[in-house]
Amino acid sequence: EVQLVESGGGLVQPGRSMKLSCAASGFTFSNYGMAWVRQAPTKGLEWVATISYDGSSTYYRDSVKGRFTISRDNAKSTLYLQMNSLRSEDTATYYCTRGGAFDYWGQGVMVTVSS
Amino acid sequence: DIQMTQSPSSLPASLGDRVTITCRASQDIGNYLRWFQQKPGKSPRLMIYGATNLAAGVPSRFSGSRSGSDYSLTINSLESEDMAIYYCLQHNEYPLTFGSGTKLEIK
């Protein structure tokens, strides 16, 4: 059974950093690109970043470029999202998903940026 | 960036109805279009991929179609479990973009 389990969310002050993790199981992680998608409270879905199966290629939405870094550890079957210089508009539930296919999603982790 | 204009934003419907939700792409995206269902407090669920293909486990009353730059999700014989928000996603080019969502609710 495919499982994606996010962790690392919580309350953080503006300008600070936070790192999200997504532990994958039930499939060969190293064969798949992965992505982060977020959803602000009561708002729609918003793509954040994608990483290729081997980590050699990454893509970001403009609003997070230079602040967020997507990475992966294939040996640990884990996806990461390092978020720096956080802003109030980054407040959202962050989902990891199997990129390209978007066929499996984690349960989401809430990130609240507030002083 | 490719804009996905989704309509309607809200769709009141009765059980047993046939309903259609549409996304219009601002540029050519081929068939790189997916549809998702999201229920309150839940993660999105893939419903349609490649514009017209039913994802695994999705009931056959759901279908996807394309007419030029217009992509549609149709639900035949609406059931109560179908009440949710539906989103389209283009993944033809970065940045990937979602439609704004359609809230399907009981009339």
Side-chain angles (χ1 to χ4, degrees), chain A residues 13-92:
Chain A
Q13 293 179 329
R16 303 298 292 265
S17 298
M18 177 174 279
K19 188 172 185 176
L20 304 182
S21 300
C22 172
S25 61
F27 66 102
T28 304
F29 182 73
S30 58
N31 286 353
Y32 289 85
M34 297 293 294
W36 289 96
V37 173
R38 69 184 179 185
Q39 186 169 36
T42 73
K43 301 297 184 183
L45 300 170
E46 183 175 81
W47 170 78
V48 175
T50 292
I51 187 167
S52 60
Y53 71 99
D54 61 354
S56 62
S57 297
T58 57
Y59 309 88
Y60 300 91
R61 67 180 301 105
D62 283 349
S63 62
V64 307
K65 213 171 287 184
R67 300 189 299 122
F68 289 13
T69 301
I70 187 172
S71 62
R72 63 191 300 156
D73 185 334
N74 284 346
K76 295 182 178 179
S77 295
T78 301
L79 175 71
Y80 302 102
L81 185 67
Q82 176 69 46
M83 303 183 293
N84 299 332
S85 303
L86 282 161
R87 306 168 180 168
S88 58
E89 54 263 38
D90 296 319
T91 293

Side-chain angles (χ1 to χ4, degrees), chain B residues 9-15 78 82-84 86 102-107:
Chain B
S9 58
S10 176
L11 183 53
S14 301
L15 299 182
L78 206 57
D82 301 334
M83 301 309 166
Y86 292 84
T102 295
K103 186 174 185 179
L104 186 54
E105 48 198 1
I106 295 177
K107 190 185 295 183

Side-chain angles (χ1 to χ4, degrees), chain A residues 39 44-45 47 50 59 95 100-103 105-107, chain B residues 34 36 38 42-44 46 87 89 91 94-96 98:
Chain A
Q39 186 169 36
L45 300 170
W47 170 78
T50 292
Y59 309 88
Y95 297 99
F102 295 90
D103 52 354
W105 295 64
Q107 82 286 357
Chain B
R34 294 177 180 243
F36 299 90
Q38 188 178 33
K42 299 295 186 181
S43 305
L46 177 66
Y87 297 93
L89 166 70
H91 59 109
Y94 294 103
L96 309 187
F98 287 90

